[in-house]
Amino acid sequence: MRAFVIRGPGDAGVEHVAPPVAGPGEVVVDVARAGVCGTDIEFFTGEMQYLHEGHAAFPMRIGHEWAGIVTAAGEGVDRSWIGRRVTGDTMLGCGVCGRCRDGRQHVCEFRTELGIRGGRHGALAENVSIPARALHELPDAVDDAMGAMVEPGGNALRAVRGAGIRPGDRALVLGAGTIGLLVAMFARAEGADVHIVGRSARSLDFARTLGFEYAVTADELPDHPWDAVIDASNDPALPARAVDLVEPGKRVVYVGLAGSPSLVDTRLIALKDVTTVGVLSASGGLKGTIDAYASGAVDPRPLIAAEVDLDHLAPVLSGIRPAGAGAGPKFHAVI
């Protein structure tokens, strides 16, 4: 089959590789489309921390935001999965440790991550294998484009849940990339008054096209009390700013990751009685995201700037926007 392979920093392309086989407890999926995210770009540039910690190594096959159809089932798998449209969890725990038994497989010490960690091949390929326990069926109301947006949406939904947002709350989202915009969409669906902080005029202009009137730079931020602040940025200065901005007794959620450590004054967290929440993965938010997409409460498709094939994926990872691309932050490979 054809698969997108990163051979080393800046060196990637389509290769012909052996197709996956459904092992015990696994299925094989014919991939319809898969998204590209910041993690994939960090692997392409060689900056991704897992490469330096030994959790990943070149050559590697990326892709963890995907949708497709199950075409084969291994031993012990209900064969009714075959022919169903699905997406799936990225975080694949060992299934037997205390964390996995407690429902925290996404932080399992022995986990693999699809297209990211532990040599588990990703979905930027014609086929991918995945444990059946990680599958989520897609209803007809969730098309393939939306299906490949379930994983980033799950991160965003978990961030909104972690913020404890209620109707009428004033919520501040730091970051106007894919996750930040999805956070804003889910927060709006919960009835919040959402403000977005971004850096570039293009990203802020795009946010306004999505109906977020209050999309501003950090310097333009109004002096309001914020019932929730969600940091979906990669700016190492913003985690501390989030604690400064949030109302006492309220919540700050960290779902973005900077390339260098961020410093936060824990004295201020204590003195303001602020609850801080970290979000690592989409795992606990996948079903809720599918339901929100299916109901129309959230539609992620405007975020997709362009669709490319696998042969034209490397330039996208290097930062080149395809001709005719829209203003959104997300790119999809149609397999």
Side-chain angles (χ1 to χ4, degrees):
M1 69 169 186
R2 302 174 77 244
F4 188 79
V5 181
I6 301 179
R7 296 173 285 262
D11 179 16
V14 176
E15 296 185 4
H16 290 271
V17 301
V21 175
E26 294 186 337
V27 300
V28 171
V29 174
D30 279 5
V31 181
R33 67 165 64 203
V36 174
C37 87
T39 299
D40 299 318
I41 293 171
E42 288 184 1
F43 276 121
F44 180 74
T45 63
E47 297 172 292
M48 209 288 175
Q49 192 64 27
Y50 279 179
L51 292 167
H52 307 289
E53 295 175 348
H55 295 306
F58 296 125
M60 66 179 301
R61 285 152 49 184
I62 59 173
H64 59 277
E65 306 174 358
W66 58 275
I69 297 175
V70 177
T71 54
E75 180 183 349
V77 176
D78 184 346
R79 295 188 64 79
S80 69
W81 276 112
I82 296 176
R84 289 155 74 177
R85 294 177 57 251
V86 295
T87 188
D89 201 345
T90 298
M91 317 298 273
L92 307 174
C94 70
V96 298
C97 71
R99 294 176 188 174
C100 286
R101 294 197 306 270
D102 191 39
R104 294 177 290 132
Q105 99 291 335
H106 62 295
V107 289
C108 169
E109 180 182 358
F110 311 104
R111 72 185 182 275
T112 59
E113 299 177 21
L114 192 78
I116 296 175
R117 175 180 171 130
R120 171 71 72 165
H121 295 318
L124 280 162
E126 291 179 330
N127 305 102
V128 67
S129 62
I130 185 170
R133 68 178 185 274
L135 294 177
H136 289 262
E137 186 171 11
L138 297 175
D140 291 342
V142 177
D143 63 19
D144 290 338
M146 299 168 83
M149 292 291 287
V150 168
E151 197 277 342
N155 281 277
L157 177 56
R158 285 194 64 217
V160 169
R161 288 174 174 172
I165 289 174
R166 298 171 299 182
D169 279 354
R170 184 176 280 121
L172 178 63
V173 180
L174 306 178
T178 296
I179 299 298
L181 293 173
L182 286 168
V183 165
M185 288 178 167
F186 278 102
R188 180 171 60 188
E190 290 296 320
D193 175 18
V194 181
H195 290 56
I196 299 174
V197 167
R199 286 185 292 196
S200 72
R202 185 182 72 185
S203 66
L204 294 173
D205 287 344
F206 178 68
R208 295 186 193 103
T209 70
L210 301 174
F212 297 105
E213 177 184 355
Y214 301 106
V216 298
T217 65
D219 294 336
E220 298 169 324
L221 192 63
D223 185 18
H224 287 319
W226 305 102
D227 298 300
V229 179
I230 300 175
D231 179 15
S233 76
N234 59 5
D235 185 337
L238 287 183
R241 183 85 188 278
V243 177
D244 288 335
L245 291 168
V246 73
E247 270 283 281
K250 298 293 187 173
R251 290 180 169 236
V252 172
V253 177
Y254 298 111
V255 66
L257 289 174
S260 58
S262 302
L263 300 178
V264 178
D265 189 343
T266 58
R267 297 172 300 178
L268 187 58
I269 293 174
L271 291 170
K272 292 182 69 173
D273 199 28
V274 169
T275 298
T276 60
V277 178
V279 172
L280 171 65
S281 78
S283 298
L286 296 172
K287 182 182 183 305
T289 298
I290 292 170
D291 291 344
Y293 290 175
S295 72
V298 174
D299 185 354
R301 290 171 294 188
L303 275 61
I304 303 169
E307 301 167 353
V308 299
D309 57 31
L310 291 178
D311 294 301
H312 295 89
L313 189 57
V316 171
L317 290 169
S318 67
I320 299 173
R321 296 179 72 87
K330 178 61 65 175
F331 296 90
H332 276 182
V334 178
I335 314 300

